Amino acid sequence: MRVIAGSARRLLLKTIEGMDTRPTTDRIKETLFNMLNTQIPGCTFLDLFSGSGAISRGAKQAFFVENNPEAVSCIRENLNRTHLEEGALILNCDVIAGLKKLEGRNPRFDIIFMDPPYNHEFENRVLEYLAGSPMVTENTLIIIEASKETKFDWLSDAGFHMIKEKVYKTNKHIFAGKGA
């Protein structure tokens, strides 16, 4: 996997062995960045289930929450390799525990990206938590990477609405906002 744009463009990023983190492919990542190219620069970005931490390029502040110690080490190495460690905070813990820790810091996120393990309904639990959190405003964009088969008909019950859905060959991105 490589950095596809910005000051660290073309640098290879470290990923952990195996499929535990399922890194987003360069093609899908580039599509996502093209959709967000005006929103990420200067934003406050939260990456949940971070894996290698390769999504937040250009953010003013980036927060990473990842439970796997090997993946956390990978994120640290990638931040160091790309010289993007300033303005970054990594929390090595469960996502809900990480959200609780972050709430104590009182951030307001412009973009929240999550790529949870597929077909375990983690996105439901995370959005239920975020629905009552002051970290999410009416302007926060939430992007969920999920399997192509994952249903999101429960979003409005959780206090969110779907803005857009982008379907790929094997997975999809859901863009959601707070409110109905």
Side-chain angles (χ1 to χ4, degrees):
M1 185 167 39
R2 63 187 170 85
V3 178
I4 58 171
S7 62
R9 185 176 185 173
R10 294 195 177 101
L11 286 178
L12 290 176
L13 297 176
K14 182 179 178 185
T15 59
I16 64 172
E17 295 294 321
M19 291 301 290
D20 286 345
T21 59
R22 274 182 1 277
T24 302
T25 65
D26 283 351
R27 179 173 290 156
I28 291 174
K29 190 173 22 160
E30 188 164 8
T31 299
L32 181 60
F33 283 138
N34 286 340
M35 288 188 274
L36 299 172
N37 68 353
T38 60
Q39 294 171 283
I40 291 179
C43 80
T44 301
F45 192 98
L46 174 59
D47 188 348
L48 302 172
F49 306 95
S50 300
S52 63
I55 299 293
S56 62
R57 79 151 191 245
K60 174 181 66 176
Q61 288 185 295
F63 297 82
F64 302 91
V65 181
E66 173 57 58
N67 202 26
N68 181 327
E70 193 176 350
V72 168
S73 177
C74 185
I75 294 167
R76 282 194 178 97
E77 283 187 46
N78 286 333
L79 287 170
N80 186 302
R81 179 177 291 161
T82 57
H83 307 289
L84 298 173
E85 58 270 269
E86 188 177 324
L89 175 69
I90 305 167
L91 297 174
N92 182 193
C93 59
D94 167 83
V95 166
I96 298 297
L99 290 171
K100 289 177 181 177
K101 288 179 184 181
L102 287 170
E103 235 169 38
R105 294 173 161 268
N106 206 28
R108 301 288 184 270
F109 292 107
D110 300 303
I111 299 174
I112 298 173
F113 177 81
M114 72 173 97
D115 184 8
Y118 290 174
N119 305 315
H120 293 296
E121 299 184 2
F122 290 125
E123 56 274 6
N124 302 44
R125 285 180 250 160
V126 171
L127 287 177
E128 284 173 10
Y129 183 89
L130 290 174
S133 173
M135 296 185 295
V136 177
T137 71
E138 291 172 6
N139 297 317
T140 301
L141 177 64
I142 299 172
I143 305 158
I144 306 157
E145 187 165 320
S147 72
K148 193 173 169 180
E149 297 77 26
T150 302
K151 303 282 186 230
F152 286 88
D153 51 359
W154 51 268
L155 266 179
S156 63
D157 292 339
F160 295 92
H161 67 281
M162 187 181 305
I163 298 168
K164 181 186 340 184
E165 178 180 42
K166 175 69 175 161
V167 180
Y168 308 100
K169 187 176 180 180
T170 59
N171 62 348
K172 63 184 171 183
H173 284 126
I174 299 297
F175 297 78
K178 199 168 188 177

